[in-house]
Structures are given as structure tokens and as C-alpha cells.
Amino acid sequence: MPEIQLAPYAVSISKHGRKFAEPAPSGRSEFQRDRDRIIHSSAFRRLEYKTQVFVNHEGDLFRTRLTHSIEVAQIGRSIARRLALNEDLVEAIALAHDLGHTPFGHAGQEELNSCMKDHGGFEHNLQSLRVVDVLEERYAAFDGLNLCFETREGILKHCSLQHAAQLGEVGTRFLNDKRPSLEAQITNLADEIAYNNHDIDDGLRSGLITLEQLSSVCLFENQLSEVRAAYPNLAERRLVHETVRRMINIQVTDLILQTEQNISAQKPRNVNDVRNAPPLVAFSSEMDELNRELKLFLRLNLYRHYQVMRMSTKARRIVRELFQAFTGDKRLLPPQFVVQEKGKQVRQIADYIAGMTDRYAIREHRRLFAVFDD
Ligand code: MG
């Protein structure tokens, strides 16, 4: 297939480069090299055992952070290709966007953030950047993965102004109210498309939500009734999958059309114009409304389902008790996590806990707290 000619406002090369200068890669682009480094990182492999909504041991068919990240990359690349933007950059950002997530999904992140409130807090987007900038220790010449600026900027999706001010160049867009590249904007919304749709699929599979409940959600019901009309005798699993795949398709199509309109209205000539423009990658206002309804449904019926709440409460307790044990007595830490430098120990403990998989955190908690360990 011939190389796609990128749009003039696409990120074609890394303008801001890498922190540590390296010879240009041969046979692959700079962003392909970033993607490859991310795939070979240990944080990436750990995503397999980190919760998206369902804790990893609850079932083999639910999404994990790893399969979620791969779905985000797939959706993001499809959108980027259609808009003549840089697919490789989108893929790199997508595969890295959740590297900083704690075990146990949002419950784990919120608990760690509350444990860290007197020590600078804990933000998972910032932690993803910290993983690729500092925590991965794999290369001889530098800490981290030494990724391109544009990849790092995309990974740092959100950030408090207080933290942005300490990050140097990659934080300045938050302070100056500028936008990241279109590739980063795409990945952000591809993330949303992926989790809204796979949470419906996982929610139905788990039995925590039902097709009857979902009939109140327009985005779902419209597709479901079309599928039912065309295939009246479809088994339920297939019915669900066919409906969800159509939902993804109409959201992706809507996003592409609206973004094309925004681009032709705003006429960016280059990446710099994109940074100064309002966000250009967007859904139509109708789709925004439909998405809002869907998200509200998921929040009320899935994320706050009592069985999910029980799991979240246990998860919070594990994170809190690990944090308290380690900050209370650093001799309990594996030696590689003990630091002598004053003021750095608590952050190191947060890094240790954030890096744990669900099952590692459960085991570590058991090792510390079980009266009789087996
Ligand atoms: Mg995500």
C-alpha cells in the first residue's frame, strides 16, 4: 500500500525531539520507535493484570487495562488514517496512556491520591508520564524510555496547573491554555469511545446490567432495534456484540465528520495553528448528548452497582493499608524501594503501589496482614 500523504497539520516529525539526543532510527519512524519501546516496557506487560472495571480475577473475558489500551489504539488509528494524521503517534500515545494506572482502576487511584494528599497527590496521567520519563529502567544511557516530546505530551492528557508548572516544556500548554496535537486529541476521544462501549459489553456479560435497563439509553436502543429487525433470531451474545460494534462505528463516523468540519472551518495550516485553535477533534453536539446519557447510565447502573462498590471498597482498603504500612515502617519495603534521600520516600512508596498489578497488591497485602500466611 502506498504511504499515506499526511495532512499539513499532522505531526509528521518530532519537532521537539527527545530529552537525550539519539541517532535517528533506521527502517522505522521516531514514533514507531516510541511505540516499540512502550510495548517492550515492563509497565506495559503489567497492564494485563490491572483492572479496567472488573478486577482481573473476576473473569477471563472482561477487559483489562491491556486489552483496553489495544482497543484505544485500534479506534484511534482508524480515525487518524481517515483524517490523514499520524497513525504511529496515535498508536504510541494510546498504548502508553494508562501505564500510570494503579491496581483496581479508579478506586485504587482515588485512594492513592487521598493517601498522598499531603505529599503532592497522585494523578494517573502524570504517573503515566513518570513511568515513561523516569520509572522504566531499561536503557543504558538514560532513565525512562526517552520518548519524543509529542508522545509524552499526548500521554499527559490532564494535569493540575500546580503540577504542570513543575514539568517544564511538556506542562506549558496547560499553563498557556493551548491544545495538544490532533493525534493526542484523537487518542483522548478514542479512549472514551473504547471504554463506554466495552463497559456496556462487560457489564452485560457480568449480568450486572441488563438489556432491559439499557433500552432507556438511546444510543444503544437505536442500534439494538435495527439489529433485532434485521436478525430477529439472533442469540443474545451475538445481538450484544453486533449492537456494540455498530455503536462504535457510528461514534467513530460522527467524530470523523465533525472533526473534518471543524478543520475546514478553522483552516489550521500546521501543528502550531492546531495548538492555538479550540479543540478540533470532537463529536457533533447530538452525539455529545447521546454520550452524556450513556455515561450517566453507566455511572448509575454499573460503576455504582453494589457488587462493584464492594470490590472498590476492598480495593481502597488494600491500597490504604499498604500505604500506611510502608509509610509507618519503611523496613517493610523490598530494599530496592527504600531511599535514603530525605523527602523522597513517600513518593517512592506511591510509585511502588501504583506499579502493582491487582493480584500483586492482593498478595502483598496478605503477606503484610494475614495472621497465618499459607
Ligand atoms: Mg484509558
Side-chain angles (χ1 to χ4, degrees):
M1 225 169 77
E3 278 278 292
I4 294 170
Q5 178 78 38
L6 292 183
Y9 38 79
V11 176
S12 52
I13 51 155
S14 176
K15 247 197 169 149
H16 302 262
R18 301 174 191 275
K19 194 164 158 205
F20 304 97
E22 293 186 62
S26 61
R28 54 182 174 165
S29 72
E30 294 283 6
F31 299 119
Q32 286 172 340
R33 172 151 77 179
D34 281 3
R35 174 207 54 205
D36 298 347
R37 288 184 176 183
I38 291 158
I39 288 176
H40 288 275
S41 70
S42 75
F44 185 71
R45 285 192 297 283
R46 276 183 252 152
L47 294 176
E48 185 174 1
Y49 299 103
K50 289 194 176 201
T51 295
Q52 187 65 31
V53 172
F54 296 90
V55 176
N56 182 265
H57 63 250
E58 291 182 289
D60 290 348
L61 296 179
F62 297 125
R63 268 66 173 190
T64 66
R65 291 258 163 224
L66 181 64
T67 59
H68 162 71
S69 300
I70 294 170
E71 289 182 28
V72 175
Q74 179 275 313
I75 292 170
R77 287 183 61 180
S78 300
I79 298 168
R81 197 176 313 136
R82 280 281 305 275
L83 295 170
L85 297 168
N86 194 325
E87 265 184 71
D88 296 326
L89 175 56
V90 168
E91 186 180 20
I93 299 171
L95 294 179
H97 85 284
D98 273 352
L99 289 180
H101 260 285
T102 61
F104 312 120
H106 285 282
Q109 122 91 25
E110 280 165 22
E111 194 58 39
L112 192 53
N113 187 31
S114 112
C115 291
M116 289 292 288
K117 72 176 186 309
D118 297 328
H119 309 277
F122 180 88
E123 296 178 35
H124 64 85
N125 290 301
L126 198 58
Q127 189 71 8
S128 296
L129 186 66
R130 189 166 158 76
V131 167
V132 300
D133 278 0
V134 183
L135 297 180
E136 281 289 323
E137 294 176 342
R138 312 179 62 78
Y139 295 87
F142 43 78
D143 281 344
L145 306 179
N146 198 30
L147 303 181
C148 294
F149 172 85
E150 292 77 2
T151 309
R152 298 171 57 236
E153 178 191 59
I155 292 171
L156 189 63
K157 185 166 67 177
H158 299 294
C159 178
S160 63
L161 292 182
Q162 180 208 349
H163 284 135
Q166 301 160 7
L167 289 174
E169 202 186 354
V170 79
T172 50
R173 78 176 163 94
F174 297 98
L175 305 172
N176 301 336
D177 193 25
K178 297 276 167 70
R179 255 50 58 197
S181 66
L182 292 174
E183 286 81 356
Q185 295 182 37
I186 285 177
T187 315
N188 196 359
L189 289 178
D191 186 20
E192 212 179 295
I193 295 174
Y195 66 67
N196 282 333
N197 290 288
H198 65 48
D199 287 353
I200 290 182
D201 189 42
D202 283 352
L204 286 167
R205 185 187 300 279
S206 67
L208 299 188
I209 54 175
T210 62
L211 281 178
E212 291 68 50
Q213 282 177 302
L214 267 165
S215 63
S216 67
V217 178
C218 289
L219 199 53
F220 186 86
E221 180 56 28
N222 293 346
Q223 301 308 312
L224 179 73
S225 48
E226 274 185 28
V227 178
R228 272 195 171 134
Y231 303 95
N233 300 317
L234 221 47
E236 183 164 317
R237 269 314 318 157
R238 267 216 235 201
L239 180 67
V240 169
H241 183 73
E242 183 64 35
T243 303
V244 170
R245 103 178 167 86
R246 288 174 186 226
M247 284 172 68
I248 295 175
N249 194 37
I250 60 163
Q251 286 171 292
V252 165
T253 308
D254 178 274
L255 186 80
I256 291 168
L257 291 176
Q258 186 61 49
T259 303
E260 278 172 343
Q261 276 181 29
N262 294 349
I263 289 172
S264 51
Q266 201 69 33
K267 300 187 179 45
R269 290 154 304 171
N270 49 42
V271 178
N272 207 35
D273 286 350
V274 168
R275 293 183 184 283
N276 290 308
L280 296 176
V281 179
F283 293 111
S284 65
S285 51
E286 299 79 49
M287 187 57 76
D288 262 339
E289 197 42 55
L290 291 168
N291 271 330
R292 243 194 304 279
E293 185 190 45
L294 170 61
K295 279 187 209 173
L296 182 65
F297 173 88
L298 285 169
R299 191 160 67 238
L300 296 178
N301 298 288
L302 181 61
Y303 310 143
R304 290 192 193 155
H305 190 284
Y306 83 96
Q307 288 182 26
V308 175
M309 294 303 293
R310 285 181 183 192
M311 193 47 88
S312 310
T313 303
K314 269 198 258 185
R316 282 172 177 274
R317 189 182 313 133
I318 290 176
V319 168
R320 186 172 59 247
E321 290 180 354
L322 286 175
F323 184 85
Q324 286 167 345
F326 294 136
T327 48
D329 186 351
K330 68 179 181 179
R331 293 171 305 174
L332 300 176
L333 280 165
Q336 66 272 31
F337 294 100
V338 177
V339 282
Q340 302 309 336
E341 236 177 305
K342 237 182 153 278
K344 297 227 163 147
Q345 184 63 70
V346 180
R347 179 59 59 187
Q348 184 79 16
I349 290 168
D351 288 339
Y352 178 40
I353 294 174
M356 293 179 185
T357 59
D358 299 346
R359 61 185 188 177
Y360 183 91
I362 292 167
R363 275 190 221 136
E364 188 70 334
H365 185 267
R366 197 180 300 144
R367 283 191 284 265
L368 284 163
F369 292 99
V371 180
F372 296 108
D373 210 347
D374 44 20

